[in-house]
């Protein structure tokens, strides 16, 4: 068996009566993308192991090799304290319904409290039977285009697994990626570039209309600011200005 | 052509050199699940139209039939003001990087400002070329299990499209679904049930230890509260108590 990666132990993904091995493999891949490894199958139509699942899993071996198979949903959920049933349409049933984002926040809290959680997914096209849904504490429904709600099984699993991963992830929402060999330019370097360009534009006559000069200079400086230049890029642009100033078009 | 559904016009999804028609079809399905309909292909390997794409699209015809094909990325992005390039790994490039959730918030704001936005996705396995990434304002990277980041193309598209849909969706994070024929029980109905059960338990001797009675009654009332009964369910339970009280086991 391949060892599980060093991520917090996430909820179990339980597929009830999945049909295509390819879909099971894509589920395994989507799970591992988000650090989930506990896959359980209830009565898979084509048996288990399934070579189609392995082929579609994109080498998510840690999931495929640890998959457990059960004959009944009731057996697959033993040991689980908090169970969510994913359904596309509301059932004629009194039960709490949550979004994937809400479920993810709850799953993280359950995990922190030491409880085991699980997510039930029904078979392709047909979804879960009502007798499976009643085993769950909560229904999970993905808000989607009401005119086209039929989600591929692996997409449904990915959606929840993705939200679970994001609920714990620390990636900044937005940041400037700067290659290692360089760094953001400091203001001294930037002002040097501003003044270099402005001198060249004064010399060339581009800024000769005196009343327009202050505004034009401000606009140009703002453009450079927005570009968030690195120190290397400031040097490149100073070289470009020097080259353009030096260049004399051939006289004919 | 099938008419587009009545959702706000979302960003364009631009697949650069996609290879398998099946993946293009799954992208179309994922897009329509989230209300996106503007699909553009740059130099699809197997040409267009593609029957494999239609078969995998789960009848997302409005997307498939309106798909436009271009020979170069530069042509596919004409008319777009804000372009995001999705990449799995950081490039050796100075550029802002955002999460899907951040991108979704920005896309909604751009849309509100009347600007057209687009999302670039590279070919399967290889991703975008650097010459495509530089055409984008911003890089979009999905935070994933660092040990297994290779996302299926349709999953990558779904992830962004899902976030775009959620950024505008008004579904409550958590609510109690109650079938139309019924309603949550009111407190008078609940107290009636509490007292019915407590009377039956007093009569049967279950609550005979006087010092334990108050706590036991409180626990039982709390269980009923947590169950969030409907009016119909209160009647059902009162019927159950009556039936159990009436029942006389046969004497042998």
């Amino acid at each position: 068996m391949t060892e599980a990666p060093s991520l917090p132990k996430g909820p179990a993904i339980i597929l009830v009566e999945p049909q295509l091995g390819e879909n099971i493999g894509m589920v395994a891949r989507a799970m591992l993308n988000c650090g989930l490894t506990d896959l359980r199958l209830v009565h898979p139509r084509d048996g288990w192991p399934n070579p189609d699942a392995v082929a579609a899993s994109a080498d998510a071996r840690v999931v495929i090799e640890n998959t457990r198979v059960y004959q009944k949903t009731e057996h697959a959920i033993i040991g689980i304290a908090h169970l969510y049933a994913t359904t596309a349409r509301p059932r004629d049933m009194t039960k709490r319904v949550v979004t994937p984002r809400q479920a993810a926040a709850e799953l993280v809290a359950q995990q922190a409290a030491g409880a085991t959680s699980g997510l039930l997914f029904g078979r392709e096209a047909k979804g879960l039977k009502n007798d499976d849904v009643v085993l769950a504490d909560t229904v999970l429904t993905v808000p989607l285009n009401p005119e086209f709600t039929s989600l591929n099984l692996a997409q449904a699993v990915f959606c929840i697994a993705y939200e679970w991963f994001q609920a714990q992830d620390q990636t900044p929402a937005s940041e400037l990626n700067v290659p290692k060999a360089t760094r953001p330019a400091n203001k001294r370097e930037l002002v040097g570039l501003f003044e270099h360009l402005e001198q060249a534009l004064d010399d060339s006559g581009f800024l000769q209309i005196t009343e327009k000069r202050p505004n034009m200079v401000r606009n140009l400086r703002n453009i450079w600011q927005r570009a968030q230049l690195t120190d290397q890029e400031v040097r490149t642009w100073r070289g470009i200005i020097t080259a353009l100033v030096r260049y004399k078009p051939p006289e004919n």
Side-chain angles (χ1 to χ4, degrees), chain A:
Chain A
M1 289 216 183
T2 319
E3 212 174 310
S6 53
L7 282 161
K9 188 174 154 46
I13 300 294
I14 305 153
L15 308 183
V16 182
E17 296 179 6
Q19 301 185 303
L20 294 171
E22 189 189 355
N23 282 334
I24 301 171
M26 288 172 67
V27 164
R29 178 180 182 179
M31 286 174 61
L32 195 55
N33 281 145
C34 302
L36 296 183
T37 53
D38 184 352
L39 177 59
R40 309 179 188 186
L41 309 177
V42 177
H43 201 55
R45 187 190 64 187
D46 300 335
W48 192 261
N50 182 327
D52 290 348
V54 175
S57 74
D59 216 25
R61 255 177 303 177
V62 63
V63 180
I64 294 287
E65 291 175 11
N66 292 295
T67 298
R68 283 172 282 178
V69 178
Y70 302 86
Q71 282 314 302
K72 295 182 66 177
T73 307
E74 284 84 345
H75 299 161
I77 62 177
I78 288 173
I80 285 175
H82 303 282
L83 186 64
Y84 295 79
T86 59
T87 71
R89 55 198 162 78
R91 306 295 175 108
D92 195 29
M93 216 181 264
T94 304
K95 206 182 271 287
R96 197 171 69 103
V97 182
V98 297
T99 61
R101 196 156 301 166
Q102 173 67 23
E106 295 175 9
L107 290 166
V108 169
Q110 290 155 9
Q111 186 176 298
T116 304
S117 307
L119 296 149
L120 279 182
F121 294 83
R123 89 182 90 173
E124 296 94 329
K126 289 204 167 180
L128 287 169
K129 292 174 188 161
N130 282 339
D131 283 339
D132 289 325
V133 176
V134 293
L135 295 171
D137 304 272
T138 306
V139 163
L140 196 168
T141 299
V142 184
L144 291 172
N145 174 3
E147 297 172 42
F148 196 78
T149 56
S150 163
L151 212 52
N152 166 281
L153 180 57
Q155 300 281 35
V157 171
F158 176 77
C159 178
I160 321 304
Y162 163 81
E163 286 283 7
W164 177 79
F165 192 87
Q166 305 313 308
Q168 301 165 96
D169 184 63
Q170 303 295 318
T171 306
S174 170
E175 64 176 338
L176 189 69
N177 179 63
V178 177
K180 283 209 181 105
T182 183
R183 56 166 174 77
N186 62 43
K187 293 304 180 194
R188 177 195 204 139
E189 291 160 340
L190 272 179
V191 171
L193 172 61
F194 296 164
E195 292 176 347
H196 190 167
L197 178 65
E198 289 150 19
Q199 184 62 56
L201 295 180
D202 278 329
D203 294 347
S204 72
F206 185 87
L207 292 176
Q208 64 186 354
I209 304 174
T210 318
E211 61 271 31
K212 287 195 173 174
R213 190 184 186 282
N215 226 355
M216 175 62 80
V217 164
R218 263 180 239 121
N219 289 344
L220 293 173
R221 288 184 173 202
N222 255 333
I223 292 168
W224 289 123
Q225 292 287 1
R226 288 204 306 271
Q228 299 186 276
L229 298 174
T230 65
D231 60 333
Q232 176 56 55
E233 290 165 346
V234 166
R235 285 194 295 276
T236 300
W237 277 103
R238 294 195 67 157
I240 288 170
I241 296 164
T242 302
L244 292 176
V245 165
R246 265 199 215 131
Y247 175 66
K248 297 278 165 271
E251 297 175 40
N252 27 345

